[in-house]
Amino acid sequence: MDLRQNIFKAHNLKLPPLENAAQDKGLSPLSWTDYFETQRTVSVSDTQFNVYASGLSNSGPIFLLHHGAGHSGLTFGLASKHIFNSDPSNFTVVAPDFRDHGATFGENQGNLSLEQMVDDVINLFAALFPDNSRDVVIVGHSMGGAVAAHTAASKRIRRVVGLVLIDIVEGSAMDSLSAIPVFINARPKSFASLENAIAWHIESDAIQNVESARLSVPSLLVSHDKSNSWTWRTQLLPTERFWKSWYSGLSKTFTSAPTAKLLILAGTDRLDKDLLIAQMQGKFQLELLPAAGHTIQEDMPDRVGELIVSFWKRNQPLNIPVRRINPPS
């Protein structure tokens, strides 16, 4: 199976060389402040989690967004802005950086086991929302989808009314595992500037939306002053020992999660047998966005935000007024 077709919806593994990436096309980095109300550090156990959020003081539903491996909370920047702006006096949106990603740091950062990441999400949520009594919609992209599904299935977060997975299917993910190192090794090892890195992501079709690339890509890199270059913040190859456990059994975990479920994919070819059967049985809502690549929430953020809000509204309990009938006198 072609990795770029499966992961980045491209035609082959050949990536544009670094020297062809434009240095200056108006691709300067964008600040998180235009997309979230606040950025804060939340200490949980051995880790200081970086969290982007909007509407933390609101009393309505909480949309908890989980990014994929090698990404950051800013991958949801544009989509989360759309979600929050749908009801800014009511909605809360939270997009943390996972351990060993983005601006999150601490001890034991190399432990990206599924169990550890699920614990991280649950403990982080408890720190942000102690004694929560609000509805929660858990959203996850790629590897973050596996974390989201297992978090919802654990029932350790109260009032989870919805689970949304974005472009992650057990069958295609497992089939792609052997090809992922090829893609990782084909990427540039460093960039001369952040603009150069942003241009490369756009030209390689990793991210189709220029605005989203300008926001999210800088958080994927760290600066090396001595060499005057930028390298990848998260080293993915050392996490290879966890990859199979992230996705094994995901279809069953997703379809059996005790909540409403939405699966957003870039194409039907990503559905495996278990999901096809469950979808025909009406166990989850399926939405296809074939114009997008793997990072659907970046390529089509407004549409993804719209789907998530509509999904939450559709699964609200009906409040049917009871008509009181007076007995005849």
Side-chain angles (χ1 to χ4, degrees), residues 270-321:
R270 288 159 165 79
L271 283 178
D272 56 32
K273 179 180 177 181
D274 289 341
L275 287 178
L276 280 171
I277 294 173
Q279 199 269 330
M280 289 188 290
Q281 294 173 338
K283 292 186 176 181
F284 64 90
Q285 176 185 341
L286 175 65
E287 296 289 345
L288 301 177
L289 300 179
H294 178 55
T295 52
I296 303 177
Q297 72 281 1
E298 299 206 46
D299 295 344
M300 303 181 68
D302 288 350
R303 181 56 178 151
V304 169
E306 177 185 329
L307 286 173
I308 293 172
V309 172
S310 297
F311 168 70
W312 171 76
K313 290 180 178 179
R314 187 179 301 113
N315 288 283
Q316 289 300 288
L318 294 175
N319 293 317
I320 303 176

Side-chain angles (χ1 to χ4, degrees), residues 11 42 132 144 167 173 177 210 236 253 290 323:
H11 295 297
V42 181
N132 176 60
D167 214 46
L177 292 183
V210 174
L236 293 175
T253 300
R323 182 178 180 183

Side-chain angles (χ1 to χ4, degrees), residues 184-196:
I184 294 174
N185 287 324
R187 302 185 305 175
K189 299 298 186 291
S190 64
F191 299 92
S193 67
L194 290 177
E195 290 81 2
N196 191 248

Side-chain angles (χ1 to χ4, degrees), residues 68-144:
H71 293 271
S72 78
L74 293 178
T75 189
F76 285 105
L78 277 67
S80 66
K81 183 176 182 178
H82 183 95
I83 294 171
F84 180 67
N85 286 344
S86 298
D87 195 346
S89 63
N90 190 39
F91 287 175
T92 297
V93 179
V94 178
D97 293 341
F98 270 122
R99 120 180 354 239
D100 202 26
H101 286 75
T104 288
F105 295 94
E107 300 177 4
N108 198 25
Q109 291 298 288
N111 183 8
L112 294 184
S113 68
L114 184 61
E115 295 78 11
Q116 179 64 67
M117 290 191 291
V118 170
D119 282 346
D120 286 345
V121 170
I122 292 169
N123 293 332
L124 178 61
F125 184 87
L128 288 169
F129 307 102
D131 302 318
N132 176 60
S133 60
R134 300 160 61 185
D135 287 352
V136 181
V137 177
I138 304 179
V139 181
H141 167 247
S142 196
M143 175 271 285

